[in-house]
Amino acid sequence: MDEKVRMEIKNMNFYYGTKQALCDINIQVYRNRVTAIIGPSGCGKSTLIRLLNRMNDLIPHARIEGEVLLDGHNIYGPDEDVVDVRRKIGMVFQKPNPFPKSIFENVAYGLRVNGIKDRQYIRRKVEKSIKDAALWGEVKDRLNDSALALSGGQQQRLCIARALAVEPEVLLMDEPASALDPTSTSKIEELIQELKKRYTIIIVTHNMQQAARISDYTAFLMLGQMVEYDLTPKIFTNPAKKVTEDYITGRFG
Amino acid sequence: MKIKNVTKFKENIYRGIFTILAFASLFFLLGITVILFKEGLPIFQKVSVFDFLFGRYWYPTHADAEFGILPIMLGSLWVTIGALGVCVPLGVGSALYIHELAGYTQKSVLKPLIEILAAIPSIVYGFFGMVIVAPFIQRTFHLSVGLNAFTGSLMLGIMATPTVCSIAEDALSFVPKSFREASYALGANRWQTLINVIMPAAGSGISTAIILGMSRAIGETMTVLMVCGGAAVIPHSFFQPVRPMTATIAAEMGEAVMGGAHYHALFAIGLILFLFTLVFNIIAEIISRRFRVKLGLGR
Ligand SMILES: Nc1ncnc2c1ncn2[C@@H]1O[C@H](COP(=O)(O)OP(=O)(O)OP(=O)(O)O)[C@@H](O)[C@H]1O
Ligand SMILES: [Mg+2]
């Protein structure tokens, strides 16, 4: 199979103060594929995904070793501009977190902070992003209402629209459906299938069926170590390690 | 059955106590308001409301007494505006610094330190202003008196800064971390995030901080009595002595004949001061309510 590598995590160690949260992680993320990160609670999934757009830079006393390459460039390199890195690698968070602004402004925000002034362009881009996030039908008549008036599932799709508007190269999603009902969840899963045609997606989930349904590759993490990383069907039908099998079949945790 | 009755009885007692307490404070407030009106209003039998508010001369003890409080109100106004000019940039600026730039250790020292500053009695500020700041101002600007509106503003501003800073910093830290992360994840830099997301979200808290700072400045008595110079004339520059409303009442109440015109005039000043602060507080309440609705936090 000839896959193109988009991101690569190399010999990654991560520490919260003196506590090591990630231990020698190596993963290759392929272009236009969905890569799922699974594992028991507290194993370091969020820590890992937040390292990919340098969100952990905000945490005091945190320390990182190793490299994260985006198209061969180390995003932790000395000349790398963190703002630029984050624009290229978008993120959708576990809990929907729209700004206390209008629906329109939520999506336009990323464009504005990136220096785009052309109103016509912004309007079109906002519309397109909301359509891509499968939300347009529900909000097109009330773009100026507060985003906080939307339901949880709508808010999360708005957050996805917001992330898409700045055209990231990679989209990170940290349990994007964990706070949502089944209908909203399946909408977001469909959306991910649609989006992977244009984006490279990394998704954290602790829902194994979800990982099996939507991902092409799966990384299984436990206690900060990467136990196994392979094609999703392989992980779910014929894992190389016993612990993986135990976890997948629900024999623990 | 028995237990239920006891609980019910207890509950009624608690309910009664809290109701009494709540109404007690309401009662005091009402009492103060009534007294202010009762003792203040009689002055308007002597001078019209217009002449009182806009009269240019305050000669309450002359044989031919005049009760125009314009110079006194302007004194308060100038000093308050001046104080805002000091405490808003200092207070909000230091809040932003503590919130945004200070490291963990710096923050854990600075915040309590500033809160201690708020606890210094106003007489100490007045003393400091009189003995150190006023002579310094006098020398620096070559003035005939160092006790003037400028010195007053400066001292009041410094006094109000801890209040403003502390409340503004609280407001900033109440902004959910997720807003900041969302903004960063879209490629916004620190300042864009601060201006477009954090500040608006903390806006109501910051305005409340400013208005409380303002209330502190306009209601402060001891310091202004000591450092403002005390002249009841319409100020034409910041470097002239002024006599704000609080200082006037404090300085003259002792010598005013009880029940006389001067006495009623001083109460009327108190009444107007009361109305001012009431308006400030109402504005603060409206602003914070509007923001809360905007943030979706309910009323
Ligand atoms: N800011 C922090 N400071 C210190 N330790 C942290 C911090 N954030 C997370 N940790 C610790 O790091 C470990 C990994 O946390 P992480 O949030 O990455 O787990 P997770 O796999 O995402 O769990 P969950 O499925 O519950 O979201 C946990 O033991 C957690 O307690
Ligand atoms: Mg997590």
Side-chain angles (χ1 to χ4, degrees):
Chain A
M1 198 187 277
D2 68 323
E3 298 272 48
K4 292 206 186 82
V5 176
R6 176 114 248 196
M7 283 190 96
E8 192 170 0
I9 302 163
K10 275 176 131 175
N11 307 324
M12 166 77 70
N13 288 298
F14 184 83
Y15 307 83
Y16 289 113
T18 52
K19 182 172 163 280
Q20 183 158 13
L22 291 176
C23 207
D24 196 32
I25 307 283
N26 287 282
I27 296 180
Q28 292 192 326
V29 175
Y30 301 104
R31 183 184 288 263
N32 295 96
R33 294 289 174 265
V34 177
T35 303
I37 302 173
I38 62 169
S41 184
C43 68
K45 304 182 294 294
S46 295
T47 306
L48 177 61
I49 200 169
R50 289 166 58 90
L51 278 169
L52 303 184
N53 70 342
R54 296 188 58 170
M55 258 317 141
N56 286 341
D57 288 15
L58 304 177
I59 295 172
H61 310 304
R63 192 160 57 84
I64 172 175
E65 289 165 5
E67 292 183 333
V68 176
L69 306 181
L70 174 66
D71 297 324
H73 276 285
N74 183 10
I75 63 169
Y76 284 92
D79 316 318
E80 216 43 62
D81 177 12
V82 58
V83 171
D84 203 39
V85 166
R86 292 194 185 123
R87 198 188 56 67
K88 284 192 267 189
I89 306 176
M91 184 155 196
V92 176
F93 297 83
Q94 177 162 357
K95 221 172 121 241
N97 57 353
F99 299 122
K101 299 175 187 283
S102 71
I103 294 170
F104 183 92
E105 280 306 318
N106 260 278
V107 183
Y109 179 80
L111 301 169
R112 295 197 205 283
V113 296
N114 284 294
I116 294 170
K117 298 230 163 59
D118 182 350
R119 292 219 192 147
Q120 200 72 34
Y121 176 84
I122 292 179
R123 194 126 35 84
R124 261 181 292 136
K125 192 77 202 170
V126 168
E127 179 173 341
K128 177 151 193 326
S129 309
I130 297 180
K131 278 179 177 159
D132 285 349
L135 185 63
W136 183 250
E138 290 153 74
V139 302
K140 64 174 189 293
D141 299 322
R142 47 175 182 146
L143 292 176
N144 292 320
D145 288 7
S146 169
L148 301 170
L150 296 173
S151 76
Q154 291 172 329
Q155 287 188 3
Q156 193 62 304
R157 276 177 285 148
L158 183 68
C159 291
I160 294 174
R162 182 172 73 177
L164 297 181
V166 294
E167 299 182 355
E169 292 166 24
V170 178
L171 192 58
L172 309 175
M173 300 174 134
D174 189 355
E175 303 195 32
S178 70
L180 307 182
D181 63 283
T183 325
S184 305
T185 303
S186 68
K187 269 199 179 140
I188 287 182
E189 287 183 9
E190 279 167 33
L191 185 57
I192 290 170
Q193 291 309 312
E194 198 52 42
L195 291 175
K196 86 171 194 191
K197 294 177 190 151
R198 286 183 288 140
Y199 298 89
T200 301
I201 296 173
I202 303 172
I203 180 168
V204 167
T205 172
H206 57 215
N207 178 337
M208 250 119 23
Q209 288 76 33
Q210 186 174 62
R213 276 197 301 270
I214 63 173
S215 72
D216 303 296
Y217 289 84
T218 297
F220 173 49
L221 239 61
M222 214 171 84
L223 299 172
Q225 313 246 9
M226 202 184 65
V227 178
E228 196 167 344
Y229 175 55
D230 214 323
L231 283 163
T232 299
K234 171 104 183 354
I235 293 268
F236 279 89
T237 55
N238 185 20
K241 302 247 170 71
K242 177 90 168 48
V243 255
T244 313
E245 189 178 342
D246 287 349
Y247 182 70
I248 304 262
T249 52
R251 233 165 288 166
F252 74 83
Chain B
M1 192 65 194
K2 210 169 178 187
I3 293 176
K4 217 173 187 179
N5 273 339
V6 171
T7 335
K8 190 97 189 189
F9 179 66
K10 261 190 177 166
E11 197 186 302
N12 280 337
I13 289 188
Y14 286 135
R15 187 185 289 253
I17 290 175
F18 286 118
T19 312
I20 290 171
L21 288 177
F23 276 93
S25 51
L26 207 66
F27 176 77
F28 286 130
L29 185 68
L30 206 71
I32 289 172
T33 317
V34 167
I35 300 279
L36 272 179
F37 275 97
K38 186 175 156 289
E39 299 292 328
L41 289 182
I43 188 65
F44 298 120
Q45 293 168 345
K46 236 187 163 68
V47 286
S48 71
V49 175
F50 185 87
D51 286 344
F52 185 71
L53 291 178
F54 299 105
R56 303 166 62 89
Y57 303 102
W58 175 256
Y59 296 132
T61 49
H62 270 217
D64 199 7
E66 292 218 43
F67 297 101
I69 64 163
L70 188 64
I72 295 169
M73 284 202 299
L74 286 178
S76 274
L77 187 72
W78 280 59
V79 172
T80 305
I81 290 174
L84 280 181
V86 175
C87 73
V88 170
L90 271 182
V92 176
S94 48
L96 287 177
Y97 177 84
I98 290 175
H99 184 73
E100 201 63 31
L101 297 174
Y104 187 75
T105 13
Q106 253 185 30
K107 196 172 183 165
S108 60
V109 174
L110 281 176
K111 190 86 198 288
L113 205 68
I114 284 177
E115 270 152 20
I116 290 173
L117 277 182
I120 295 178
S122 58
I123 186 102
V124 176
Y125 280 100
F127 198 63
F128 178 74
M130 212 168 178
V131 176
I132 295 170
V133 180
F136 174 76
I137 300 282
Q138 185 181 6
R139 260 181 282 119
T140 317
F141 295 100
H142 308 290
L143 304 170
S144 52
V145 277
L147 300 174
N148 53 36
F150 186 80
T151 312
S153 300
L154 207 62
M155 293 318 295
L156 282 182
I158 292 170
M159 284 178 70
T161 297
T163 313
V164 176
C165 171
S166 174
I167 299 173
E169 209 278 330
D170 285 344
L172 288 171
S173 59
F174 282 143
V175 176
K177 208 175 81 208
S178 65
F179 287 178
R180 178 189 299 272
E181 291 185 341
S183 174
Y184 281 168
L186 293 167
N189 62 33
R190 170 181 283 187
W191 300 113
Q192 289 170 328
T193 303
L194 190 63
I195 290 167
N196 297 310
V197 177
I198 312 279
M199 295 269 277
S204 79
I206 294 177
S207 343
T208 309
I210 292 171
I211 289 174
L212 286 179
M214 197 154 134
S215 296
R216 169 115 211 237
I218 201 170
E220 173 51 40
T221 306
M222 210 21 124
T223 312
V224 292
L225 194 61
M226 290 170 82
V227 301
C228 287
V233 290
I234 292 180
H236 294 289
S237 99
F238 255 110
F239 293 105
Q240 282 180 349
V242 291
R243 167 175 282 210
M245 299 161 91
T246 49
T248 309
I249 300 173
E252 298 177 12
M253 198 43 117
E255 56 196 65
V257 182
M258 193 159 165
H262 189 190
Y263 171 89
H264 289 308
L266 291 178
F267 262 100
I269 294 178
L271 180 60
I272 286 162
L273 199 57
F274 171 74
L275 294 179
F276 277 166
T277 33
L278 194 69
V279 169
F280 288 163
N281 280 314
I282 290 171
I283 292 173
E285 184 59 34
I286 290 172
I287 292 175
S288 84
R289 197 170 288 192
R290 252 219 327 253
F291 270 98
R292 240 176 310 170
V293 172
K294 211 168 110 195
L295 281 177
L297 303 176
R299 276 153 230 258

